[in-house]
Coordinates of all heavy atoms in Angstrom, one line a residue:
A270 N 100.6 -19.0 81.8 CA 99.5 -19.0 82.8 C 98.1 -19.3 82.1 O 97.3 -20.1 82.7 CB 99.4 -17.7 83.6
K271 N 98.0 -18.8 80.9 CA 96.7 -19.1 80.2 C 96.6 -20.6 79.8 O 95.5 -21.2 79.8 CB 96.5 -18.2 79.0 CG 96.5 -16.7 79.3 CD 96.4 -15.9 78.1 CE 96.3 -14.4 78.4 NZ 96.4 -13.5 77.1
V272 N 97.7 -21.1 79.3 CA 97.8 -22.5 78.9 C 97.5 -23.4 80.1 O 96.7 -24.4 80.1 CB 99.1 -22.9 78.2 CG1 99.1 -24.4 78.0 CG2 99.3 -22.1 77.0
R273 N 98.2 -23.0 81.2 CA 98.0 -23.8 82.5 C 96.6 -23.8 83.0 O 96.0 -24.8 83.4 CB 98.9 -23.4 83.6 CG 98.9 -24.2 84.9 CD 99.8 -23.5 85.9 NE 99.8 -24.2 87.2 CZ 100.3 -23.7 88.3 NH1 100.9 -22.5 88.3 NH2 100.2 -24.4 89.4
E274 N 95.9 -22.6 82.9 CA 94.5 -22.5 83.3 C 93.6 -23.3 82.4 O 92.6 -23.9 83.0 CB 94.2 -21.0 83.3 CG 92.7 -20.7 83.7 CD 92.3 -19.3 83.5 OE1 93.1 -18.5 82.9 OE2 91.2 -18.9 84.1
N275 N 93.8 -23.3 81.1 CA 93.1 -24.1 80.2 C 91.6 -23.8 80.3 O 90.7 -24.7 80.4 CB 93.3 -25.6 80.5 CG 92.8 -26.5 79.3 OD1 92.8 -26.0 78.2 ND2 92.5 -27.7 79.6
A276 N 91.2 -22.5 80.4 CA 89.9 -22.1 80.5 C 89.0 -22.4 79.3 O 89.6 -22.4 78.2 CB 89.8 -20.6 80.8
P277 N 87.7 -22.7 79.4 CA 86.9 -22.9 78.3 C 86.8 -21.7 77.3 O 86.9 -20.6 77.7 CB 85.5 -23.2 78.9 CG 85.8 -23.6 80.3 CD 87.0 -22.8 80.7
N278 N 86.7 -22.0 76.0 CA 86.6 -21.0 75.0 C 87.8 -20.0 75.0 O 87.6 -18.8 74.6 CB 85.2 -20.2 75.2 CG 84.1 -21.2 75.1 OD1 84.0 -22.0 74.3 ND2 83.2 -20.9 76.1
Q279 N 88.9 -20.5 75.4 CA 90.1 -19.6 75.4 C 91.3 -20.5 74.8 O 91.7 -21.5 75.4 CB 90.5 -19.1 76.8 CG 91.8 -18.3 76.8 CD 92.1 -17.9 78.3 OE1 91.6 -16.9 78.8 NE2 93.0 -18.7 79.0
H280 N 91.8 -20.0 73.7 CA 92.9 -20.7 73.1 C 94.1 -19.8 72.9 O 94.1 -19.0 72.0 CB 92.5 -21.3 71.7 CG 93.6 -22.2 71.2 ND1 94.6 -21.6 70.4 CD2 93.9 -23.5 71.1 CE1 95.5 -22.5 70.0 NE2 95.1 -23.7 70.5
P281 N 95.1 -19.9 73.8 CA 96.3 -19.0 73.7 C 97.0 -19.4 72.5 O 97.0 -20.6 72.0 CB 97.1 -19.2 75.0 CG 96.1 -19.9 75.9 CD 95.1 -20.7 75.0
Y282 N 97.8 -18.5 71.9 CA 98.7 -18.7 70.8 C 100.2 -18.4 71.2 O 100.4 -17.5 71.9 CB 98.3 -17.9 69.6 CG 96.9 -18.3 69.0 CD1 95.8 -17.6 69.5 CD2 96.8 -19.3 68.1 CE1 94.6 -18.0 68.9 CE2 95.6 -19.6 67.5 CZ 94.5 -19.0 68.0 OH 93.3 -19.3 67.5
G283 N 101.0 -19.2 70.7 CA 102.5 -19.1 70.9 C 103.3 -19.0 69.7 O 103.2 -18.0 68.9
V284 N 104.1 -20.0 69.4 CA 104.9 -20.1 68.2 C 104.0 -20.8 67.2 O 104.1 -22.0 67.0 CB 106.2 -20.8 68.4 CG1 107.1 -20.8 67.1 CG2 107.0 -20.2 69.5
D285 N 103.1 -20.1 66.5 CA 102.0 -20.6 65.8 C 102.1 -20.7 64.3 O 101.2 -20.5 63.5 CB 100.7 -19.8 66.2 CG 99.4 -20.3 65.7 OD1 99.3 -21.6 65.7 OD2 98.6 -19.6 65.2
N286 N 103.4 -20.8 63.8 CA 103.6 -20.9 62.4 C 104.7 -21.8 62.1 O 105.5 -22.2 62.9 CB 103.9 -19.5 61.8 CG 103.4 -19.3 60.4 OD1 102.9 -20.2 59.8 ND2 103.6 -18.1 59.9
S287 N 104.8 -22.3 60.8 CA 105.8 -23.3 60.5 C 107.1 -22.7 60.4 O 107.4 -21.6 59.9 CB 105.4 -23.8 59.0 OG 104.2 -24.5 59.0
P288 N 108.1 -23.4 61.0 CA 109.5 -22.9 61.0 C 110.1 -22.9 59.6 O 109.7 -23.8 58.7 CB 110.3 -23.8 61.9 CG 109.4 -25.0 61.9 CD 108.0 -24.6 61.7
I289 N 111.0 -22.0 59.3 CA 111.7 -21.9 58.0 C 113.2 -22.0 58.3 O 113.7 -21.4 59.2 CB 111.4 -20.6 57.3 CG1 109.9 -20.4 56.9 CG2 112.2 -20.4 56.0 CD1 109.4 -21.5 56.0
I290 N 113.8 -22.9 57.5 CA 115.3 -23.1 57.7 C 116.1 -22.7 56.5 O 115.7 -23.0 55.3 CB 115.5 -24.7 57.9 CG1 114.6 -25.3 58.9 CG2 117.0 -24.9 58.3 CD1 114.8 -24.8 60.3
Y291 N 117.2 -22.0 56.7 CA 118.1 -21.6 55.6 C 119.4 -22.5 55.9 O 119.9 -22.4 57.0 CB 118.5 -20.1 55.6 CG 119.7 -19.8 54.7 CD1 119.5 -19.7 53.4 CD2 120.9 -19.7 55.3 CE1 120.7 -19.5 52.6 CE2 122.0 -19.4 54.5 CZ 121.9 -19.3 53.1 OH 123.0 -19.1 52.3
V292 N 119.8 -23.3 54.9 CA 121.0 -24.1 55.0 C 122.0 -23.7 54.0 O 121.6 -23.5 52.8 CB 120.5 -25.6 54.9 CG1 121.8 -26.5 54.9 CG2 119.6 -26.0 56.0
D293 N 123.2 -23.6 54.4 CA 124.4 -23.3 53.5 C 125.5 -24.3 53.7 O 126.2 -24.2 54.7 CB 124.9 -21.9 53.7 CG 126.0 -21.5 52.8 OD1 126.2 -22.2 51.8 OD2 126.8 -20.6 53.1
D294 N 125.5 -25.4 52.9 CA 126.6 -26.4 52.9 C 127.7 -25.8 52.1 O 127.8 -26.1 50.9 CB 126.1 -27.7 52.4 CG 127.0 -28.8 52.5 OD1 128.2 -28.6 53.0 OD2 126.8 -29.9 51.9
V295 N 128.7 -25.1 52.7 CA 129.7 -24.4 51.9 C 130.6 -25.2 51.1 O 131.1 -24.9 50.0 CB 130.5 -23.5 52.8 CG1 129.6 -22.4 53.4 CG2 131.2 -24.2 53.9
D296 N 130.9 -26.5 51.6 CA 131.8 -27.3 50.8 C 131.0 -28.4 50.1 O 131.7 -29.3 49.5 CB 132.8 -28.0 51.8 CG 132.2 -28.7 53.0 OD1 130.9 -28.8 53.0 OD2 132.9 -29.1 53.9
D297 N 129.7 -28.4 50.0 CA 128.9 -29.3 49.2 C 129.2 -30.7 49.5 O 129.2 -31.5 48.6 CB 129.1 -29.0 47.7 CG 128.4 -27.6 47.3 OD1 127.4 -27.2 47.9 OD2 129.0 -26.9 46.5
D298 N 129.5 -31.1 50.7 CA 129.7 -32.5 51.1 C 128.6 -33.2 51.6 O 128.7 -34.4 52.0 CB 131.0 -32.6 52.0 CG 130.6 -32.0 53.4 OD1 129.6 -31.4 53.5 OD2 131.5 -32.1 54.3
G299 N 127.4 -32.5 51.7 CA 126.2 -33.2 52.1 C 126.1 -33.2 53.6 O 125.1 -33.7 54.2
T300 N 127.0 -32.7 54.4 CA 127.0 -32.7 55.8 C 127.0 -31.2 56.3 O 127.8 -30.4 55.8 CB 128.2 -33.4 56.4 OG1 128.1 -34.8 56.0 CG2 128.2 -33.3 58.0
I301 N 126.1 -30.9 57.2 CA 126.1 -29.6 57.8 C 126.9 -29.6 59.1 O 126.5 -30.0 60.1 CB 124.6 -29.1 58.1 CG1 123.8 -29.2 56.8 CG2 124.6 -27.6 58.6 CD1 124.3 -28.4 55.6
N302 N 128.1 -29.1 59.0 CA 129.1 -29.1 60.0 C 129.6 -27.7 60.3 O 130.2 -27.1 59.5 CB 130.3 -30.1 59.7 CG 131.2 -30.3 60.9 OD1 131.3 -29.5 61.8 ND2 131.9 -31.4 60.8
A303 N 129.2 -27.1 61.5 CA 129.6 -25.8 61.8 C 131.1 -25.6 61.8 O 131.6 -24.5 61.4 CB 129.1 -25.4 63.2
G304 N 131.9 -26.7 62.1 CA 133.3 -26.6 62.0 C 133.9 -26.4 60.7 O 135.0 -25.9 60.5
D305 N 133.1 -26.7 59.6 CA 133.6 -26.5 58.2 C 133.0 -25.1 57.7 O 133.3 -24.8 56.5 CB 133.0 -27.6 57.3 CG 133.6 -28.9 57.6 OD1 134.7 -29.0 58.3 OD2 133.0 -30.0 57.3
G306 N 132.4 -24.4 58.5 CA 131.8 -23.1 58.1 C 130.4 -23.2 57.5 O 129.8 -22.3 57.0
D307 N 129.8 -24.5 57.6 CA 128.4 -24.6 57.2 C 127.5 -23.9 58.1 O 127.7 -23.7 59.3 CB 128.1 -26.1 57.1 CG 128.9 -26.9 56.1 OD1 129.4 -26.3 55.2 OD2 129.1 -28.1 56.4
R308 N 126.3 -23.6 57.5 CA 125.4 -22.8 58.3 C 123.9 -23.3 58.2 O 123.6 -23.7 57.1 CB 125.4 -21.3 57.9 CG 126.8 -20.7 58.0 CD 126.8 -19.2 57.5 NE 126.5 -19.1 56.1 CZ 126.4 -18.0 55.4 NH1 126.6 -16.8 56.0 NH2 126.2 -17.9 54.1
A309 N 123.3 -23.3 59.3 CA 121.8 -23.6 59.3 C 121.1 -22.6 60.3 O 121.5 -22.5 61.5 CB 121.5 -25.0 59.8
W310 N 120.2 -21.8 59.7 CA 119.5 -20.8 60.4 C 118.1 -21.0 60.5 O 117.5 -21.4 59.5 CB 119.8 -19.4 59.8 CG 121.3 -19.0 59.8 CD1 122.2 -19.5 60.7 CD2 122.0 -18.1 59.0 NE1 123.5 -18.9 60.4 CE2 123.3 -18.1 59.4 CE3 121.5 -17.3 57.9 CZ2 124.3 -17.3 58.7 CZ3 122.5 -16.5 57.2 CH2 123.8 -16.5 57.7
L311 N 117.5 -20.8 61.6 CA 116.0 -21.1 61.9 C 115.3 -19.8 62.0 O 115.7 -18.9 62.8 CB 115.9 -22.0 63.1 CG 114.5 -22.1 63.8 CD1 113.6 -22.8 62.8 CD2 114.6 -22.9 65.1

């Protein structure tokens, strides 16, 4: 509602930081495939 209102001198904050990714390519084939057990977490 605050973003939609867009009032002067008011800046709402949401997901206000850089995402971090953990990647585990279990078979080291260069492809992240969940079917192979590879993992990517955000």
Side-chain angles (χ1 to χ4, degrees):
K271 295 178 182 178
V272 173
R273 182 185 179 191
E274 181 186 10
N275 196 25
N278 303 316
Q279 174 182 278
H280 184 275
Y282 293 91
V284 184
D285 187 38
N286 212 356
S287 299
I289 298 297
I290 313 290
Y291 168 79
V292 173
D293 180 20
D294 182 5
V295 295
D296 51 9
D297 292 323
D298 64 352
T300 295
I301 305 305
N302 188 336
D305 295 338
D307 299 334
R308 303 178 293 182
W310 298 336
L311 166 65

